[in-house]
């Protein structure tokens, strides 16, 4: 079976059944059991010399199993001695779609192309309807990608308690809601999503979902210029200092973030006030590059943070020692922990357990149950560098109401 994006060509050897031959019949199943009720005949070939059939209308990135029956004029059937399996082909990078049609997508409900606007939308014929859960889905092959990045433009106008989600998943890899919309924003804006968590996986599903209640309808969610490309990962220098005075050029996924006045140590900081987070959705802010920490003795990460979090939400600092495939939490604050401050506070964590040639760092915010509309988080002076040598305490010499503390020099060099 030779797979395509939404099809599979099934091939077999001739049967040699002679003049009694009547037809080949092709059976398709979602599993490897041909007679358990989950299968369907998808094609009949009446020419004994024809030994292939193309099955169309399949789901992208799905696996199918095929058998071929030989049927003769006596109505005796013989099933093929083995089966063929095919997983419809996810798109190999680069993937691009400006939506002349929806041929690269599987859709449910009313999702389709708005031919006037030239975009993908949940409601190409007008307002969406109440009480729906509809999707548009495609799949990409991220095998060999260093930093796969999804980019698209969107705008939305949704009624109260209606939400749009971007969901990413892969067989053997957890699914994540990596972006979401609610309310209204009717100017087109580019969204950037780092897919490094799924790099190396050959069948990565990218799904846009609209969920609505019965309270009202509106124009919906419009999506255009979708692309997934491998943007690589440049080497970041160490020591590394990000003070945001030069903007957000060192970062991926900047659509939620902007530079803000009033930094801790300078004029600027990074603030998250552009976009809000839908329920049960993550929002990432990742450094665009890898650190090589292998030659460092005691690498540390420090940063300054302040702000407020919405109800049932969290801010995490994470690190990956394999170029973004797996992540560990270095530091976390949530509304439940009650220790996130509106005043600048310093964070310092050790990177010693993550000394690798492709160490990555990111922040992410998460909303558990409700829209994260009242969060206001700021970051400044993020540093990755070796820790200065510790001093030795020589003595503390007491006085009547004082103490003189003495120590050895630190030997920290010009960075002191």
């Amino acid at each position: 079976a030779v797979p395509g994006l939404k099809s599979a060509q099934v091939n077999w050897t001739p049967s040699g059944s002679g003049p009694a031959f009547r037809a080949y019949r092709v059976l398709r199943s979602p599993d490897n059991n041909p007679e358990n009720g989950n299968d369907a005949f998808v094609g009949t070939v009446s020419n004994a010399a024809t030994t292939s059939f193309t099955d169309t209308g399949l789901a992208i990135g799905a696996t199918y199993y095929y058998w071929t029956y030989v049927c003769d004029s006596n109505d005796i059937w013989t099933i093929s001695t083995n089966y063929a399996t095919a997983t419809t082909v996810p798109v190999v990078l680069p993937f691009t779609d400006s939506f002349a049609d929806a041929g690269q997508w599987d859709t449910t409900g009313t999702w389709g192309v708005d031919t006037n606007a030239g975009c993908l939308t949940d409601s190409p014929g007008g307002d969406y309807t109440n009480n729906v859960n509809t999707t548009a889905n495609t799949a990409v092959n991220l095998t060999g990608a260093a930093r796969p990045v999804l980019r698209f433009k969107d705008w939305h106008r949704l009624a109260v308690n209606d939400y749009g989600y971007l969901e990413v998943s892969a067989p053997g890899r957890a699914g994540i809601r990596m972006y979401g919309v609610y309310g209204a924003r009717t100017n087109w804006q580019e969204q950037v999503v780092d897919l490094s968590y799924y790099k190396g996986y050959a069948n990565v599903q990218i799904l846009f979902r609209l969920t609505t209640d019965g309270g009202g309808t509106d124009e919906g969610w419009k999506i255009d210029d979708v692309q997934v490309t491998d943007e690589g990962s440049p080497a970041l220098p160490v020591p590394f200092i990000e003070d945001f005075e030069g903007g957000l050029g060192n970062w991926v996924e900047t659509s939620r973030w902007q530079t803000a006045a009033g930094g801790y140590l300078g004029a600027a900081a990074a603030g998250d006030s552009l976009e809000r987070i839908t329920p049960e959705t993550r929002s990432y802010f990742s450094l665009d590059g890898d650190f090589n920490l292998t030659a460092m003795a005691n690498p540390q990460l420090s940063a300054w943070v302040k702000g407020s979090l919405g109800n049932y939400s969290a801010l995490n600092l994470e690190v990956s020692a394999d170029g973004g495939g797996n992540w560990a939490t270095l530091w976390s604050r949530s509304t439940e922990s009650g220790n996130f401050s509106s005043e600048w506070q310093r964070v310092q964590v050790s990177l010693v357990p993550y000394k690798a040639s492709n160490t990555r760092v990111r922040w992410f915010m998460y909303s558990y149950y409700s829209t994260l509309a009242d969060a206001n988080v700021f970051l400044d002076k993020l540093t990755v560098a070796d820790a200065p040598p510790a001093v030795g305490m020589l003595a503390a010499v007491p006085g009547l109401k004082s103490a003189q503390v003495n120590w050895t020099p630190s030997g920290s060099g010009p960075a002191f």
Side-chain angles (χ1 to χ4, degrees):
V2 182
L5 178 66
K6 301 172 79 169
S7 65
Q9 178 180 302
V10 185
N11 305 298
W12 57 88
T13 57
S15 74
S17 58
F21 175 86
R22 186 172 69 181
Y24 299 113
R25 298 197 70 186
V26 179
L27 183 75
R28 181 183 71 207
S29 175
D31 53 49
N32 62 0
N33 187 339
E35 295 177 347
N36 64 356
N38 293 327
D39 39 76
F41 286 104
V42 294
T44 299
V45 178
S46 58
N47 186 340
T50 301
T51 57
S52 70
F53 170 81
T54 300
D55 188 20
T56 60
L58 305 179
I60 300 171
T63 299
Y64 300 93
Y65 298 80
Y66 293 93
W67 290 260
T68 300
Y69 283 87
V70 180
C71 312
D72 69 10
S73 57
N74 297 316
D75 204 28
I76 300 298
W77 295 28
T78 302
I79 194 170
S80 54
T81 56
N82 61 349
Y83 63 82
T85 182
T87 299
T88 48
V89 179
V91 181
V92 177
L93 300 190
F95 169 84
T96 61
D97 201 335
S98 56
F99 297 108
D101 56 48
Q104 298 190 94
W105 298 79
D106 292 329
T107 60
T108 65
T110 57
W111 278 89
V113 170
D114 182 334
T115 55
N116 292 324
C119 65
L120 181 70
T121 177
D122 50 65
S123 48
D127 289 3
Y128 57 81
T129 59
N130 281 324
N131 297 313
V132 297
N133 185 348
T134 58
T135 60
N137 179 71
T138 192
V140 291
N141 185 341
L142 301 186
T143 303
R147 185 191 286 273
V149 174
L150 166 66
R151 297 177 182 269
F152 61 94
K153 297 175 183 174
D154 74 335
W155 76 259
H156 59 276
R157 187 188 293 277
L158 304 179
V160 176
N161 294 324
D162 294 345
Y163 304 100
Y165 295 103
L166 165 66
E167 301 173 0
V168 184
S169 63
R173 202 62 157 163
I176 301 175
R177 284 180 170 172
M178 305 188 79
Y179 172 74
V181 296
Y182 71 96
R185 174 178 46 77
T186 55
N187 59 297
W188 287 94
Q189 180 172 296
E190 184 182 52
Q191 309 300 333
V192 183
V193 180
D194 188 341
L195 300 179
S196 292
Y197 180 69
Y198 298 96
K199 71 178 187 175
Y201 285 78
N203 187 5
V204 180
Q205 304 284 314
I206 297 173
L207 182 143
F208 294 101
R209 181 187 304 277
L210 175 72
T211 64
T212 72
D213 67 1
T217 65
D218 215 315
E219 292 183 63
W221 190 11
K222 297 185 185 298
I223 298 161
D224 202 1
D225 295 332
V226 175
Q227 57 178 306
V228 182
T229 56
D230 183 6
E231 301 193 0
S233 193
L236 296 174
V238 284
F240 175 84
I241 299 175
E242 172 62 275
D243 57 12
F244 300 104
E245 302 300 315
L248 302 180
N250 288 323
W251 299 83
V252 188
E253 303 147 318
T254 57
S255 58
R256 278 185 46 84
W257 294 79
Q258 63 183 345
T259 54
Y264 175 71
L265 294 174
D272 79 316
S273 58
L274 286 180
E275 288 275 333
R276 297 310 180 199
I277 305 176
T278 46
E280 299 180 4
T281 303
R282 298 189 179 199
S283 174
Y284 293 100
F285 189 47
S286 310
L287 272 171
D288 186 13
D290 294 351
F291 294 107
N292 186 344
L293 306 182
T294 56
M296 301 180 71
N298 188 13
Q300 303 285 307
L301 183 151
S302 69
W304 291 86
V305 299
K306 74 170 184 176
S308 60
L309 295 171
N311 291 332
Y312 303 105
S313 60
L315 172 68
N316 285 15
L317 172 62
E318 294 189 327
V319 63
S320 169
D322 62 0
N326 296 280
W327 294 84
T329 300
L330 294 173
W331 177 91
S332 179
R333 293 292 183 270
S334 69
T335 47
E336 286 63 53
S337 67
N339 53 4
F340 191 59
S341 174
S342 59
E343 302 295 327
W344 286 108
Q345 57 185 136
R346 184 173 170 277
V347 176
Q348 181 167 321
V349 289
S350 174
L351 297 178
V352 171
Y354 311 101
K355 291 171 60 173
S357 61
N358 56 347
T359 302
R360 293 187 186 177
V361 171
R362 72 183 182 188
W363 300 85
F364 85 82
M365 299 180 68
Y366 183 71
S367 175
Y368 292 93
Y369 304 119
S370 60
T371 54
L372 188 47
D374 53 352
N376 198 19
V377 171
F378 296 90
L379 310 173
D380 200 11
K381 193 62 184 303
L382 183 143
T383 302
V384 175
D386 246 332
V391 300
M393 299 299 292
L394 294 183
V397 182
L400 178 62
K401 301 176 76 173
S402 64
Q404 177 179 304
V405 183
N406 304 300
W407 57 85
T408 58
S410 74
S412 57
F416 176 80

